[in-house]
Amino acid sequence: SIGQSAFSNCVGLTGTLTLPSKLTELGTDAYKGCTGITSIVFPSGMTAVGGFGGCLGLEEVTLADGITELQRYAFNGCTNLKKVNFPATLKTVGISAFDGCTALEGSLELPAGVETIGSKAFNGCTALTGVILQKGLKTIEGNAFYGCKALESLKLPEGFWRQSAVMLSRARWYVKLYSLTEWKAWVASPIAWS
């Protein structure tokens, strides 16, 4: 394992970071603020990823098959991150995992296995234009897509809102999706928001 804050703010780490092949665990903030890292090679034995917040040099991340969880703050504040390639094995996108990733662009499609999207997971991803969520989704926590001002389309799994009355009462997290016409139709519908 690599311990908590082990390489935090090591700006001298540059280029591709190749994590050890037998690595299974990264501590909180292990590589936080390593602004020179441009890409990461993840080993196949890892199941959870986190600790790369504020890595300003990252532009694209490809997560290895076998990863099931993006931990809280995994890539938050990576303001040059444009694209993330998610593995089919992913189940959880943690709290603020991509919070403030303002360059994350285009349409984001999460794999069918994703069950939970944590609060503020994609908060402030101002360049996202679309989100596609799959049928395995069970929970979207508050403000998951708050401040995604460029969002033009959102595809929810069929019957998603009917699956959980609790989700209906927490649906306000979409309110800041200013340009989303589908959301405007939901707001106009005769549902009693709490």
Coordinates of all heavy atoms in Angstrom, one line a residue, residues 58-127:
L58 N -3.2 16.4 -15.1 CA -3.9 15.3 -15.7 C -4.9 15.7 -16.8 O -5.7 16.7 -16.5 CB -4.7 14.5 -14.6 CG -4.0 13.5 -13.8 CD1 -4.9 12.9 -12.7 CD2 -3.5 12.4 -14.6
E59 N -4.9 15.1 -17.9 CA -5.9 15.5 -19.0 C -6.8 14.3 -19.3 O -7.9 14.5 -19.7 CB -5.1 15.9 -20.2 CG -4.4 17.2 -20.1 CD -3.9 17.8 -21.3 OE1 -4.1 17.2 -22.4 OE2 -3.2 18.8 -21.3
E60 N -6.3 13.1 -19.1 CA -7.2 11.9 -19.4 C -6.8 10.8 -18.4 O -5.6 10.6 -18.1 CB -7.0 11.4 -20.8 CG -7.9 10.2 -21.2 CD -7.9 9.9 -22.7 OE1 -7.4 10.7 -23.5 OE2 -8.4 8.8 -23.0
V61 N -7.8 10.1 -17.9 CA -7.6 9.0 -17.0 C -8.3 7.8 -17.5 O -9.4 7.8 -17.9 CB -8.1 9.3 -15.6 CG1 -8.1 8.1 -14.7 CG2 -7.3 10.5 -15.0
T62 N -7.5 6.6 -17.6 CA -8.1 5.4 -17.9 C -8.0 4.5 -16.7 O -6.9 4.1 -16.3 CB -7.4 4.7 -19.1 OG1 -7.6 5.6 -20.3 CG2 -8.0 3.4 -19.5
L63 N -9.2 4.1 -16.1 CA -9.2 3.3 -14.9 C -9.2 1.8 -15.3 O -9.9 1.4 -16.2 CB -10.5 3.6 -14.1 CG -10.5 5.1 -13.7 CD1 -11.9 5.5 -13.3 CD2 -9.5 5.3 -12.5
A64 N -8.4 1.0 -14.6 CA -8.2 -0.4 -14.9 C -9.5 -1.2 -14.6 O -10.2 -0.9 -13.7 CB -7.0 -1.0 -14.2
D65 N -9.7 -2.3 -15.4 CA -10.7 -3.2 -15.1 C -10.5 -3.8 -13.7 O -9.3 -4.0 -13.3 CB -10.7 -4.4 -16.1 CG -11.3 -4.0 -17.4 OD1 -12.2 -3.0 -17.4 OD2 -11.0 -4.6 -18.4
G66 N -11.5 -4.0 -12.9 CA -11.4 -4.5 -11.5 C -11.7 -3.4 -10.5 O -12.0 -3.7 -9.4
I67 N -11.5 -2.1 -10.9 CA -11.8 -1.0 -10.0 C -13.3 -0.9 -9.9 O -14.0 -0.8 -10.8 CB -11.2 0.3 -10.6 CG1 -9.6 0.2 -10.5 CG2 -11.7 1.5 -9.7 CD1 -8.9 1.4 -11.2
T68 N -13.7 -0.9 -8.6 CA -15.2 -0.9 -8.3 C -15.6 0.4 -7.7 O -16.8 0.8 -7.6 CB -15.6 -2.0 -7.4 OG1 -14.8 -1.9 -6.2 CG2 -15.4 -3.4 -8.0
E69 N -14.6 1.2 -7.1 CA -15.0 2.4 -6.4 C -14.0 3.5 -6.7 O -12.8 3.4 -6.6 CB -14.9 2.1 -4.9 CG -15.2 3.3 -4.0 CD -15.0 3.1 -2.5 OE1 -14.6 2.0 -2.1 OE2 -15.4 4.0 -1.8
L70 N -14.6 4.7 -6.9 CA -13.8 5.9 -7.0 C -14.1 6.6 -5.6 O -15.2 7.0 -5.3 CB -14.2 6.8 -8.1 CG -13.9 6.3 -9.5 CD1 -14.4 7.2 -10.6 CD2 -12.3 6.2 -9.6
Q71 N -13.1 6.7 -4.8 CA -13.3 7.2 -3.5 C -13.6 8.7 -3.4 O -13.4 9.4 -4.4 CB -12.0 6.9 -2.6 CG -11.8 5.4 -2.5 CD -10.5 5.0 -1.9 OE1 -9.5 5.8 -2.1 NE2 -10.4 3.9 -1.2
R72 N -14.0 9.2 -2.3 CA -14.3 10.6 -2.1 C -13.0 11.4 -2.5 O -11.9 11.0 -2.2 CB -14.8 10.9 -0.8 CG -13.9 10.6 0.4 CD -14.4 11.0 1.7 NE -15.7 10.4 2.0 CZ -16.6 11.0 2.8 NH1 -16.4 12.1 3.4 NH2 -17.8 10.4 3.0
Y73 N -13.3 12.5 -3.2 CA -12.3 13.4 -3.6 C -11.2 12.8 -4.6 O -10.1 13.4 -4.7 CB -11.6 14.1 -2.4 CG -12.5 14.7 -1.4 CD1 -12.7 14.1 -0.2 CD2 -13.4 15.7 -1.7 CE1 -13.6 14.6 0.8 CE2 -14.3 16.2 -0.8 CZ -14.4 15.6 0.4 OH -15.3 16.1 1.3
A74 N -11.5 11.7 -5.2 CA -10.5 11.0 -6.0 C -9.7 11.9 -7.0 O -8.5 11.8 -7.1 CB -11.2 9.8 -6.8
F75 N -10.5 12.7 -7.8 CA -9.8 13.5 -8.8 C -10.4 15.0 -8.6 O -10.3 15.7 -9.6 CB -10.1 13.0 -10.2 CG -9.5 11.6 -10.4 CD1 -10.3 10.5 -10.3 CD2 -8.2 11.5 -10.8 CE1 -9.7 9.2 -10.5 CE2 -7.6 10.3 -11.0 CZ -8.4 9.1 -10.9
N76 N -10.8 15.4 -7.5 CA -11.4 16.7 -7.4 C -10.4 17.8 -7.6 O -9.2 17.6 -7.3 CB -12.1 16.9 -6.0 CG -11.1 17.1 -4.9 OD1 -10.2 16.3 -4.7 ND2 -11.3 18.1 -4.1
G77 N -10.8 18.8 -8.3 CA -9.9 19.9 -8.6 C -8.9 19.7 -9.6 O -8.0 20.5 -9.8
C78 N -9.0 18.6 -10.4 CA -8.1 18.3 -11.5 C -8.7 19.1 -12.7 O -9.4 18.6 -13.5 CB -8.1 16.8 -11.8 SG -7.3 15.9 -10.5
T79 N -8.4 20.4 -12.7 CA -9.0 21.3 -13.6 C -8.7 21.2 -15.1 O -9.3 21.8 -16.0 CB -8.7 22.8 -13.2 OG1 -7.3 23.0 -13.1 CG2 -9.3 23.1 -11.9
N80 N -7.7 20.4 -15.5 CA -7.4 20.1 -16.9 C -7.8 18.7 -17.3 O -7.6 18.4 -18.5 CB -5.9 20.3 -17.1 CG -5.5 21.7 -17.0 OD1 -6.1 22.6 -17.6 ND2 -4.5 22.0 -16.2
L81 N -8.5 18.0 -16.4 CA -9.0 16.6 -16.8 C -10.1 16.7 -17.8 O -11.2 17.3 -17.4 CB -9.4 15.9 -15.5 CG -9.8 14.4 -15.7 CD1 -8.7 13.6 -16.3 CD2 -10.3 13.9 -14.3
K82 N -9.9 16.2 -19.0 CA -10.9 16.3 -20.0 C -11.7 15.1 -20.2 O -12.9 15.1 -20.7 CB -10.3 16.7 -21.4 CG -9.6 18.1 -21.4 CD -9.0 18.3 -22.7 CE -8.3 19.7 -22.7 NZ -7.6 20.0 -23.9
K83 N -11.1 13.9 -20.0 CA -11.8 12.6 -20.3 C -11.4 11.6 -19.3 O -10.3 11.5 -18.8 CB -11.4 12.2 -21.7 CG -12.1 10.9 -22.1 CD -11.8 10.6 -23.6 CE -12.5 9.3 -24.0 NZ -12.2 8.9 -25.3
V84 N -12.4 10.8 -18.9 CA -12.2 9.6 -18.0 C -12.8 8.4 -18.7 O -14.0 8.4 -19.1 CB -12.9 9.9 -16.6 CG1 -12.7 8.7 -15.7 CG2 -12.4 11.1 -16.0
N85 N -12.0 7.4 -18.8 CA -12.5 6.1 -19.3 C -12.8 5.2 -18.1 O -11.8 4.8 -17.4 CB -11.4 5.5 -20.2 CG -11.1 6.4 -21.4 OD1 -12.0 6.7 -22.2 ND2 -9.8 6.8 -21.5
F86 N -14.0 4.9 -17.9 CA -14.5 4.1 -16.8 C -14.5 2.6 -17.1 O -14.9 2.2 -18.2 CB -15.9 4.5 -16.4 CG -16.0 5.9 -15.9 CD1 -16.5 6.9 -16.8 CD2 -15.7 6.3 -14.6 CE1 -16.6 8.2 -16.4 CE2 -15.8 7.6 -14.2 CZ -16.3 8.6 -15.1
P87 N -14.1 1.8 -16.1 CA -14.2 0.3 -16.3 C -15.6 -0.2 -16.1 O -16.4 0.4 -15.4 CB -13.2 -0.3 -15.2 CG -13.4 0.7 -14.1 CD -13.5 2.1 -14.8
A88 N -15.9 -1.3 -16.8 CA -17.3 -1.9 -16.6 C -17.5 -2.4 -15.2 O -18.7 -2.5 -14.8 CB -17.4 -3.1 -17.6
T89 N -16.5 -2.6 -14.4 CA -16.6 -3.1 -13.0 C -16.9 -2.0 -12.0 O -17.3 -2.3 -10.9 CB -15.2 -3.7 -12.6 OG1 -14.2 -2.7 -12.8 CG2 -14.9 -5.0 -13.4
L90 N -17.0 -0.7 -12.4 CA -17.2 0.4 -11.5 C -18.6 0.3 -10.9 O -19.6 0.2 -11.6 CB -17.0 1.7 -12.2 CG -17.1 3.0 -11.3 CD1 -15.9 3.0 -10.3 CD2 -17.0 4.2 -12.1
K91 N -18.7 0.5 -9.6 CA -20.0 0.5 -8.9 C -20.3 1.8 -8.1 O -21.5 2.1 -8.0 CB -20.1 -0.7 -7.8 CG -20.0 -2.1 -8.5 CD -20.3 -3.2 -7.4 CE -20.3 -4.5 -8.0 NZ -21.3 -4.7 -9.1
T92 N -19.3 2.5 -7.7 CA -19.5 3.7 -6.9 C -18.6 4.8 -7.3 O -17.4 4.6 -7.5 CB -19.2 3.4 -5.4 OG1 -20.0 2.3 -4.9 CG2 -19.4 4.6 -4.5
V93 N -19.2 6.0 -7.5 CA -18.5 7.2 -7.7 C -18.7 8.0 -6.4 O -19.8 8.4 -6.1 CB -19.1 8.0 -9.0 CG1 -18.3 9.3 -9.1 CG2 -19.0 7.1 -10.2
G94 N -17.6 8.2 -5.7 CA -17.7 8.7 -4.4 C -18.0 10.2 -4.3 O -18.0 10.9 -5.3
I95 N -18.2 10.7 -3.1 CA -18.5 12.1 -2.8 C -17.4 13.0 -3.4 O -16.2 12.7 -3.2 CB -18.5 12.4 -1.3 CG1 -19.7 11.6 -0.7 CG2 -18.6 13.8 -0.9 CD1 -19.8 11.6 0.8
S96 N -17.7 14.0 -4.2 CA -16.8 15.0 -4.8 C -15.7 14.3 -5.6 O -14.6 14.9 -5.7 CB -16.3 15.9 -3.7 OG -17.3 16.7 -3.1
A97 N -15.9 13.2 -6.1 CA -14.9 12.5 -6.9 C -14.3 13.3 -8.0 O -13.1 13.3 -8.3 CB -15.4 11.1 -7.4
F98 N -15.2 14.1 -8.7 CA -14.7 14.9 -9.8 C -15.2 16.4 -9.6 O -15.3 17.1 -10.6 CB -15.3 14.4 -11.2 CG -14.8 13.0 -11.5 CD1 -15.5 11.9 -11.2 CD2 -13.5 12.9 -12.1 CE1 -15.0 10.6 -11.5 CE2 -13.0 11.6 -12.4 CZ -13.8 10.5 -12.1
D99 N -15.4 16.7 -8.4 CA -15.8 18.1 -8.0 C -14.8 19.1 -8.6 O -13.6 19.0 -8.3 CB -15.9 18.2 -6.5 CG -16.5 19.5 -6.0 OD1 -16.7 20.4 -6.8 OD2 -16.9 19.5 -4.8
G100 N -15.3 20.1 -9.3 CA -14.4 21.1 -9.8 C -13.6 20.7 -11.0 O -12.6 21.5 -11.3
C101 N -13.9 19.6 -11.7 CA -13.1 19.3 -12.9 C -13.7 20.0 -14.1 O -14.5 19.5 -14.8 CB -13.2 17.7 -13.1 SG -12.2 16.8 -11.9
T102 N -13.4 21.3 -14.2 CA -14.0 22.2 -15.1 C -13.7 21.9 -16.6 O -14.4 22.4 -17.4 CB -13.6 23.6 -14.8 OG1 -12.2 23.7 -14.8 CG2 -14.1 24.1 -13.4
A103 N -12.7 21.1 -16.9 CA -12.4 20.8 -18.3 C -13.1 19.5 -18.7 O -13.0 19.1 -19.9 CB -10.9 20.7 -18.5
L104 N -13.7 18.7 -17.8 CA -14.3 17.4 -18.2 C -15.4 17.8 -19.2 O -16.4 18.4 -18.8 CB -14.9 16.8 -16.9 CG -15.2 15.3 -17.0 CD1 -14.0 14.5 -17.4 CD2 -15.7 14.8 -15.6
E105 N -15.3 17.3 -20.4 CA -16.1 17.8 -21.5 C -16.9 16.7 -22.2 O -16.7 15.5 -22.0 CB -15.3 18.5 -22.5 CG -14.2 17.7 -23.1 CD -13.2 18.4 -24.0 OE1 -13.3 19.7 -24.1 OE2 -12.4 17.8 -24.6
G106 N -17.8 17.1 -23.0 CA -18.6 16.2 -23.8 C -19.7 15.5 -23.0 O -20.2 16.0 -22.0
S107 N -20.0 14.3 -23.5 CA -21.1 13.5 -22.9 C -20.4 12.4 -22.0 O -19.5 11.7 -22.4 CB -22.0 12.9 -23.9 OG -23.0 12.3 -23.3
L108 N -20.9 12.4 -20.8 CA -20.3 11.4 -19.8 C -21.3 10.2 -19.7 O -22.4 10.4 -19.4 CB -20.2 12.1 -18.4 CG -19.8 11.3 -17.2 CD1 -18.3 11.1 -17.3 CD2 -20.2 11.9 -15.9
E109 N -20.7 9.0 -20.0 CA -21.5 7.8 -19.9 C -20.9 6.9 -18.8 O -19.8 6.4 -19.0 CB -21.6 7.1 -21.2 CG -22.5 5.9 -21.2 CD -22.7 5.3 -22.6 OE1 -22.3 5.9 -23.6 OE2 -23.4 4.2 -22.6
L110 N -21.7 6.7 -17.8 CA -21.2 5.8 -16.7 C -21.6 4.4 -17.0 O -22.7 4.1 -17.6 CB -21.8 6.2 -15.4 CG -21.3 7.6 -14.8 CD1 -22.0 8.0 -13.6 CD2 -19.8 7.5 -14.6
P111 N -20.8 3.4 -16.6 CA -21.1 2.0 -17.0 C -22.4 1.5 -16.3 O -22.8 2.1 -15.3 CB -19.9 1.2 -16.4 CG -18.9 2.2 -16.1 CD -19.5 3.6 -16.0
A112 N -22.9 0.4 -16.8 CA -24.2 -0.1 -16.3 C -24.1 -0.6 -14.9 O -25.1 -0.7 -14.2 CB -24.7 -1.3 -17.2
G113 N -22.9 -0.9 -14.4 CA -22.7 -1.5 -13.1 C -22.7 -0.4 -12.0 O -22.8 -0.7 -10.8
V114 N -22.7 0.9 -12.4 CA -22.7 1.9 -11.3 C -24.0 2.0 -10.6 O -25.1 2.1 -11.2 CB -22.4 3.3 -12.0 CG1 -22.5 4.4 -10.9 CG2 -20.9 3.3 -12.5
E115 N -23.9 1.8 -9.3 CA -25.1 1.8 -8.4 C -25.3 3.1 -7.7 O -26.4 3.5 -7.4 CB -25.0 0.7 -7.4 CG -25.0 -0.7 -8.1 CD -24.8 -1.8 -7.1 OE1 -24.6 -1.6 -5.9 OE2 -24.9 -3.0 -7.5
T116 N -24.2 3.8 -7.3 CA -24.2 5.0 -6.5 C -23.4 6.1 -7.0 O -22.2 5.9 -7.4 CB -23.7 4.6 -5.0 OG1 -24.5 3.6 -4.5 CG2 -23.8 5.9 -4.1
I117 N -24.0 7.3 -7.1 CA -23.2 8.5 -7.4 C -23.3 9.4 -6.2 O -24.4 9.8 -5.8 CB -23.8 9.2 -8.6 CG1 -23.7 8.3 -9.9 CG2 -23.1 10.5 -8.9 CD1 -24.5 8.8 -11.1
G118 N -22.2 9.7 -5.6 CA -22.1 10.4 -4.3 C -22.4 11.9 -4.5 O -22.4 12.4 -5.6
S119 N -22.7 12.5 -3.3 CA -23.0 14.0 -3.4 C -21.8 14.7 -4.0 O -20.7 14.4 -3.7 CB -23.3 14.5 -2.0 OG -22.2 14.4 -1.1
K120 N -22.1 15.7 -4.8 CA -21.2 16.6 -5.4 C -20.1 15.8 -6.3 O -19.1 16.4 -6.6 CB -20.4 17.5 -4.4 CG -21.3 18.4 -3.7 CD -20.5 19.4 -2.8 CE -21.4 20.4 -2.1 NZ -20.7 21.3 -1.3
A121 N -20.5 14.6 -6.7 CA -19.5 13.8 -7.5 C -19.0 14.5 -8.7 O -17.9 14.5 -9.1 CB -20.2 12.5 -7.9
F122 N -19.9 15.3 -9.4 CA -19.6 16.0 -10.6 C -19.9 17.5 -10.5 O -20.1 18.2 -11.4 CB -20.3 15.4 -11.8 CG -19.8 14.0 -12.1 CD1 -20.6 12.9 -11.6 CD2 -18.7 13.7 -12.9 CE1 -20.2 11.6 -11.9 CE2 -18.3 12.4 -13.1 CZ -19.0 11.3 -12.6
N123 N -19.9 17.9 -9.3 CA -20.2 19.3 -9.0 C -19.3 20.3 -9.7 O -18.1 20.1 -9.7 CB -20.1 19.6 -7.4 CG -20.3 21.0 -7.0 OD1 -21.3 21.6 -7.4 ND2 -19.4 21.6 -6.4
G124 N -19.8 21.3 -10.4 CA -19.0 22.3 -11.0 C -18.3 21.8 -12.2 O -17.3 22.4 -12.7
C125 N -18.7 20.7 -12.8 CA -18.1 20.3 -14.1 C -18.7 21.1 -15.2 O -19.7 20.6 -15.9 CB -18.3 18.8 -14.3 SG -17.3 17.8 -13.1
T126 N -18.3 22.3 -15.4 CA -19.0 23.2 -16.2 C -18.9 23.0 -17.7 O -19.6 23.6 -18.5 CB -18.4 24.7 -15.9 OG1 -17.0 24.6 -16.1 CG2 -18.8 25.1 -14.5
A127 N -18.1 22.1 -18.2 CA -17.9 21.8 -19.6 C -18.7 20.5 -20.0 O -18.8 20.2 -21.2 CB -16.5 21.6 -20.0

